[in-house]
Amino acid sequence: METKDIKQLQYENKKLKKEYGRLLEEIQRLWRFKKETKLFSSEYMKRLQQTDLRKKVFEGTDFTIFKGINESDSRQFMLYNIEKIIGQQPNGDAAQKYVSQIYGEKKLLDLDEPFPFIPMENVDGWLLDMVRLMGCLMGQNPWGKCFSLRWLSSRFEAGTGDDPYQFSPENEELLYWLEVTEYRRIAALVAKMVESITMLEYQRISSAVYDYIWEKLHGFIPDWANVDQCNSYINSLLDIINNVNAHIKEGAQRGLCIEEVGLIDSLWGDLNHTYHKDYLAATKEIWQKIKPVRDSFCDGGRNRENYLLFVNDMLKIALPIAEQYNLDMELDDEHSLPLSYLKYWLESIYCYDDYRLE
């Protein structure tokens, strides 16, 4: 088969997957629409009618525009109004109020995902979707509740599913959206969800990387209504992700795999270093001796007993090499940070076969 035929098949396969995703979302929309928004006796509908949402937010709005509006414009109108509601009171309290009025005090992290497509023939359905999406955003926790990124922009493909890892720092399209979108309050709430996944994914590299991010962002919770504070938080998060990625890239340029980057950070005891030659040499020698053992240890069995045995055995390999290269690991201090980092790194390479960053 010629190369051009293979490429054509790959292109057609991609088109089919995209169409499948779109159809799946449409089925979900119809099912939920029938179950909830089309039933005017729904408890959510009753609560919606009892709120002052229309008066406080949409007074004077001509909802007949929905009869001719397309999906993209409807989405933008929704984001525009969510952004406005978040800005009505400090810390987004107005947004929290409407979510609680309709979905209950304890429902922020237990909402169904908004409809993949707007039920434009029903304004109440659109309003419920808006409040539901607002609740997902105000939850700030992808593990509690995330949502399809199609709600933010048509640049994200349909059929992505309800997966926290959509908010990964590896999602370059999402990072770009955070940087350029006009909805800065919404972007800050999405960025807080990205931070959560960033902490998890980079923790797998080393505790040094995790601590670097934690020290920079710990306690940095902006007033969601304050655009300047939201921008400051978003810029800080993006700078941190760029710094970590640049650090990993520099390690790769020096011939280190992702596990070795985590190891050299652990031996140094910090992310901020310039890949000193002695640390580079020690790192490569330690990994060369540990990797074969890790790959075959207990035939891949994963349990607490094997983990402790692995860590203790690998320390007997790593520490003499570190001493041979005169690495300053403060081993005479019972609270040695490099030693703690090294132990956690050993745990990471024992527990994780896929770092998601290679």
Side-chain angles (χ1 to χ4, degrees), residues 36 43-45 47-48 51-53 57 81-82 85-86 88-89 91-112 114 127-140 145 189:
E36 182 175 308
E43 182 63 29
Y44 290 155
M45 282 294 185
R47 294 176 185 174
L48 175 65
T51 69
D52 58 1
L53 181 63
V57 180
N81 282 286
I82 291 176
I85 294 170
I86 295 171
Q88 284 183 342
Q89 295 177 10
N91 301 311
D93 287 350
Q96 295 276 18
K97 180 191 76 171
Y98 288 122
V99 174
S100 297
Q101 284 179 345
I102 296 175
Y103 291 104
E105 294 288 344
K106 299 181 180 180
K107 291 290 185 179
L108 280 179
L109 298 181
D110 192 32
L111 305 179
D112 289 335
L127 289 170
L128 280 179
D129 260 351
M130 186 193 72
V131 178
R132 183 184 284 137
L133 177 58
M134 200 156 55
C136 293
L137 288 165
M138 295 306 298
Q140 308 157 40
K145 186 61 199 173
L189 289 164

Side-chain angles (χ1 to χ4, degrees), residues 29-199:
R29 182 195 74 79
L30 292 172
W31 181 81
R32 288 173 179 159
F33 185 72
K34 181 178 180 180
K35 182 180 179 182
E36 182 175 308
T37 45
K38 204 171 183 180
L39 300 175
F40 290 93
S41 60
S42 162
E43 182 63 29
Y44 290 155
M45 282 294 185
K46 292 178 182 177
R47 294 176 185 174
L48 175 65
Q49 301 300 333
Q50 292 168 0
T51 69
D52 58 1
L53 181 63
R54 287 177 183 260
K55 180 178 179 181
K56 294 287 188 178
V57 180
F58 294 99
E59 187 172 15
T61 299
D62 180 8
F63 281 106
T64 60
I65 62 171
F66 280 89
K67 293 182 179 179
I69 197 171
N70 60 37
E71 179 195 347
S72 178
D73 289 341
S74 179
R75 180 195 302 114
Q76 294 304 310
F77 187 53
M78 180 180 288
L79 294 178
Y80 167 80
N81 282 286
I82 291 176
E83 179 85 0
K84 182 170 68 173
I85 294 170
I86 295 171
Q88 284 183 342
Q89 295 177 10
N91 301 311
D93 287 350
Q96 295 276 18
K97 180 191 76 171
Y98 288 122
V99 174
S100 297
Q101 284 179 345
I102 296 175
Y103 291 104
E105 294 288 344
K106 299 181 180 180
K107 291 290 185 179
L108 280 179
L109 298 181
D110 192 32
L111 305 179
D112 289 335
E113 183 184 354
F115 297 121
F117 294 116
I118 311 300
M120 293 178 228
E121 67 273 22
N122 187 300
V123 174
D124 283 341
W126 184 89
L127 289 170
L128 280 179
D129 260 351
M130 186 193 72
V131 178
R132 183 184 284 137
L133 177 58
M134 200 156 55
C136 293
L137 288 165
M138 295 306 298
Q140 308 157 40
N141 183 357
W143 306 112
K145 186 61 199 173
C146 59
F147 54 88
S148 172
L149 295 178
R150 287 277 289 178
W151 280 97
L152 302 179
S153 171
S154 57
R155 71 171 62 246
F156 301 107
E157 289 191 7
T160 50
D162 190 7
D163 181 0
Y165 283 103
Q166 293 175 4
F167 298 86
S168 166
E170 288 188 299
N171 189 337
E172 295 180 1
E173 195 68 62
L174 179 56
L175 298 188
Y176 177 74
W177 180 88
L178 290 176
E179 189 174 357
V180 303
T181 182
E182 62 187 298
Y183 307 115
R184 304 314 295 164
R185 299 181 181 107
I186 294 175
L189 289 164
V190 174
K192 183 56 74 171
M193 300 171 81
V194 173
E195 177 191 336
S196 178
I197 305 300
T198 299
M199 296 290 284

Side-chain angles (χ1 to χ4, degrees), residues 235-252:
N235 292 336
S236 294
L237 175 65
L238 294 177
D239 285 345
I240 288 167
I241 292 173
N242 288 334
N243 290 342
V244 173
N245 287 340
H247 175 73
I248 294 171
K249 183 178 180 180
E250 182 178 355

